[in-house]
Amino acid sequence: MDDVKQIIIDYIRKEFLEDDSDMEINENTSLISSGIVDSFSMVSLKTFLEKKYKIQIPDTKATPEAFDSVKHIMSLLKEYVNI
Amino acid sequence: MAYGSKAKEFYQNELKNIATAGLSKEERYIRSPQGADIKVEFPQGAPEMEVINFCANNYLGLSSHPEVIKAAHQGLDNRGYGMSSVRFICGTQDIHRELERKLTEFLKTEDTILFPSCMDANAGVFDVLLDREDAMIADKLVHASIVDGMRLCKAQQYVYKHSNMDHLKEKLKESQENRLRMIITDGVFSMDGDIAKLDTICDLAEKYDAMVLVDDSHSTGFVGKTGRGTHEHCGVIGRIDIITTTLGKALGGASGGCVSGRKEIVDLLRQRARPYLFSNTVPPVIVSAASKVLDIISRTTERRDKLEKNTLYFRKKMTEAGFDIKEGIHPIAPIMLYNAKLSSDIARDLYYEGIYVIGFFFPVVPRGEARIRVQISADHEMTHLNKAIEAFTKIGRKYDILGKNKKEIIEKYGM
């Protein structure tokens, strides 16, 4: 489970933060309201999770609330994969 | 009545949330033609004020140019007001095709198709050209209309960090399995005024076999030596497959947009692009005026050259005055203030000094990146520019931000 958490954090850091960013990201960091992840990049994150865990997350479940923190993303993932 | 209390309360609540978050947009009534000097009623009901406009996309100052107005009148007199039709039924006049030919010649592409707006062009282009097995690889900061257009398309989405060519390369490698691929970028990014690295993008596109789409709305008419756009500025004329752009900014500023590029692509859009097929044709009055704009800017680079001179002067003087400005050469000059309230307070104070500018903050720009976006025009004379520089300096002194860098401004006002 910690591995999954780290995988998500690493992806967000690599894909959405600038290389020189010193922003801390933990499981409770607000991703959407802080502007780290916007609706545009949320699609990339969803696609990444679907590919990585070979699942399909319905669009109705991919809400800004569900992606607003790593913790929320983990809860969403748990519905589709055993982590 | 279907519009019951449930819906009413829901919408009232939404409006309240927007207002509480300080994100309500309020229109200011302009009581004169668009130009450097305008008459504004703000707030609503307040006495009319004469101010200098520094927030229009009227880059070449052609919005109210006498020759353009005359051409609009001629369009109205000779071809009527409306066409009451989409293009392919009975909405195509000779002047529509003539304008498309002029745009093709000006942009140095193979063909052009007009759309009711560039928003429509961007909304319609992706869905026609790409499908489920294809990939769209977009800069993170592309315009909202491109984001919407991409949402309407089934192709897989990849996003690369803003102007980060290494990240783009990674995405091109990741999407290698997709059938067709398209790199998507703005030519000039509207909030920072920075120019896409089109030379590197074209090199990567060729290496990894991807098409390139550029939205050049903030460039067409004035970026590049003869104003063709960012493809001219970056030396990649002929290497951009698709250019989307607008008639609603430098090219007269009324409305209308287009997709210009490879012949087959334009032909296919004419068959299948939904905003083209199901939306009314661009009215003759606009077509006629836009055609005149292209004649003017093809005849001489005088306005484009004046805009460049104005821009460099304003940027230099504002930097010397101690403002923190995003570097660049574009007439979008972002005066960085970082704090949202500070940006709206300064914009308000400037209005009462006779300078019309707007503060931009989250969600239009990232949190902590609030700024005033000044837009220079060829309509501005030295007196306009100097008055703005003086007013900015006066207000900057009031808020004690002159000579302060990002860290110091944030320390003083917070993010």
Side-chain angles (χ1 to χ4, degrees):
Chain A
M1 180 131 155
D2 281 349
D3 283 355
V4 178
K5 185 168 79 182
Q6 200 52 51
I7 286 168
I8 299 171
I9 290 175
D10 287 348
Y11 180 83
I12 291 167
R13 182 169 289 289
K14 178 172 166 287
E15 293 295 319
F16 306 137
L17 294 187
E18 290 307 319
D19 298 343
D20 58 354
S21 172
D22 52 4
M23 189 181 277
E24 276 295 313
I25 296 182
N26 60 43
E27 61 179 342
N28 294 314
T29 304
S30 173
L31 301 172
I32 304 281
S33 43
S34 65
I36 298 171
V37 177
D38 56 19
S39 58
F40 199 25
S41 34
M42 207 174 90
V43 177
S44 311
L45 183 51
K46 176 176 175 280
T47 309
F48 166 74
L49 296 171
E50 288 176 335
K51 272 190 177 173
K52 177 91 189 164
Y53 296 104
K54 298 183 175 54
I55 54 171
Q56 276 288 317
I57 302 172
D59 287 346
T60 49
K61 291 274 187 178
T63 61
E65 293 75 26
F67 278 79
D68 198 30
S69 69
V70 174
K71 202 171 178 177
H72 286 155
I73 296 169
M74 302 270 290
S75 303
L76 179 67
L77 267 184
K78 276 180 201 163
E79 292 181 33
Y80 302 94
V81 64
N82 191 17
I83 53 171
Chain B
M1 190 172 72
Y3 187 62
S5 59
K6 197 172 155 192
K8 192 178 173 74
E9 277 169 29
F10 177 80
Y11 296 133
Q12 281 175 338
N13 200 37
E14 286 291 295
L15 286 166
K16 203 173 136 194
N17 289 341
I18 293 170
T20 309
L23 300 174
S24 294
K25 289 173 227 16
E26 202 179 343
E27 292 172 351
R28 302 177 182 203
Y29 298 150
I30 295 173
R31 295 174 170 275
S32 58
Q34 186 62 280
D37 297 298
I38 52 170
K39 293 172 181 167
V40 183
E41 173 194 324
F42 182 76
Q44 284 167 25
E48 185 178 288
M49 271 189 66
E50 285 198 20
V51 293
I52 307 172
N53 194 353
F54 278 96
C55 55
N57 297 314
N58 184 18
Y59 296 113
L60 292 173
L62 291 169
S63 299
S64 307
H65 188 278
E67 274 190 70
V68 178
I69 291 173
K70 191 177 165 198
H73 280 294
Q74 283 168 346
L76 192 61
D77 292 342
N78 300 333
R79 293 291 185 278
Y81 167 67
M83 285 303 290
S84 306
S85 174
V86 299
R87 281 288 293 272
F88 79 95
I89 298 179
C90 55
T92 301
Q93 292 172 317
D94 53 344
I95 56 172
H96 289 86
R97 198 55 196 138
E98 188 191 344
L99 176 58
E100 287 174 341
R101 270 198 297 270
K102 282 187 183 177
L103 282 163
T104 303
E105 200 180 311
F106 185 77
L107 297 170
K108 295 185 184 287
T109 53
E110 293 173 14
D111 202 357
T112 301
I113 172 175
L114 286 171
F115 278 81
S117 68
C118 190
M119 171 98 197
D120 282 318
N122 288 336
V125 68
F126 303 109
D127 184 44
V128 173
L129 302 177
L130 302 169
D131 210 338
R132 208 175 290 279
E133 53 270 62
D134 304 322
M136 305 176 281
I137 308 165
D139 187 290
K140 189 176 191 289
L141 293 189
V142 288
H143 188 259
S145 57
I146 289 185
V147 175
D148 287 356
M150 288 173 67
R151 280 190 182 134
L152 294 170
C153 176
K154 295 181 197 75
Q156 207 170 325
Q157 282 184 24
Y158 294 84
V159 179
Y160 63 92
K161 291 180 197 175
H162 178 50
S163 276
N164 185 324
M165 295 296 103
D166 290 335
H167 204 217
L168 168 59
K169 196 170 166 181
E170 269 180 47
K171 297 294 150 193
L172 284 163
K173 283 180 182 168
E174 267 178 47
S175 60
Q176 204 78 273
E177 297 302 310
N178 291 92
R179 183 185 60 177
L180 298 175
R181 294 180 298 161
M182 189 185 287
I183 302 171
I184 301 158
T185 181
D186 288 4
V188 166
F189 293 88
S190 60
M191 283 301 139
D192 289 352
D194 58 322
I195 298 174
K197 297 166 184 161
L198 292 186
D199 45 353
T200 312
I201 288 175
C202 286
D203 289 347
L204 287 170
E206 276 156 29
K207 183 170 177 191
Y208 290 95
D209 191 24
M211 295 178 278
V212 179
L213 178 145
V214 177
D215 178 336
D216 233 5
S217 293
H218 283 281
S219 321
T220 304
F222 58 96
V223 171
K225 266 199 168 123
T226 60
R228 315 281 152 165
T230 50
H231 56 324
E232 184 183 33
H233 176 82
C234 297
V236 293
I237 284 178
R239 294 175 73 195
I240 305 294
D241 303 294
I242 305 156
I243 295 170
T244 65
T245 192
T246 182
L247 306 175
K249 293 186 166 68
L251 304 186
S255 69
C258 71
V259 175
S260 195
R262 305 294 178 201
K263 188 182 178 305
E264 301 73 23
I265 287 175
V266 171
D267 284 348
L268 195 57
L269 290 170
R270 228 178 266 284
Q271 299 304 317
R272 290 192 182 150
R274 294 174 70 83
Y276 173 84
L277 293 175
F278 300 113
S279 191
N280 247 26
T281 187
V282 181
V285 62
I286 290 177
V287 173
S288 181
S291 194
K292 175 57 70 177
V293 165
L294 286 168
D295 292 345
I296 295 171
I297 62 177
S298 300
R299 189 171 70 210
T300 167
T301 58
E302 199 180 315
R303 289 191 159 260
R304 176 239 165 259
D305 298 342
K306 184 178 172 196
L307 174 62
E308 184 175 65
K309 195 174 142 214
N310 281 354
T311 300
L312 296 177
Y313 177 79
F314 182 82
R315 281 178 166 274
K316 180 171 178 279
K317 290 289 177 189
M318 286 288 282
T319 306
E320 282 170 9
F323 284 97
D324 179 5
I325 304 182
K326 290 225 177 206
E327 276 181 34
I329 55 160
H330 195 271
I332 290 174
I335 315 298
M336 299 307 295
L337 299 162
Y338 308 101
N339 177 282
K341 187 171 181 303
L342 181 65
S343 71
S344 59
D345 285 351
I346 291 184
R348 183 203 56 221
D349 286 6
L350 283 165
Y351 178 74
Y352 292 108
E353 294 291 326
I355 306 299
Y356 186 5
V357 286
I358 299 281
F360 287 89
F361 40 85
F362 184 81
V364 180
V365 294
R367 208 179 283 280
E369 289 283 312
R371 82 267 317 259
I372 285 174
R373 184 180 72 168
V374 174
Q375 287 174 286
I376 305 297
S377 168
D379 246 2
H380 290 136
E381 301 299 338
M382 274 299 155
T383 48
H384 293 121
L385 299 173
N386 287 333
K387 192 171 173 202
I389 294 157
E390 275 169 34
F392 262 103
T393 307
K394 180 180 167 187
I395 302 301
R397 206 170 283 136
K398 173 182 166 186
Y399 288 90
D400 190 24
I401 53 165
L402 297 183
K404 289 198 163 49
N405 60 26
K406 177 178 182 177
K407 192 168 165 254
E408 290 163 335
I409 296 174
I410 292 172
E411 264 171 20
K412 193 170 173 65
Y413 289 98
M415 280 174 77

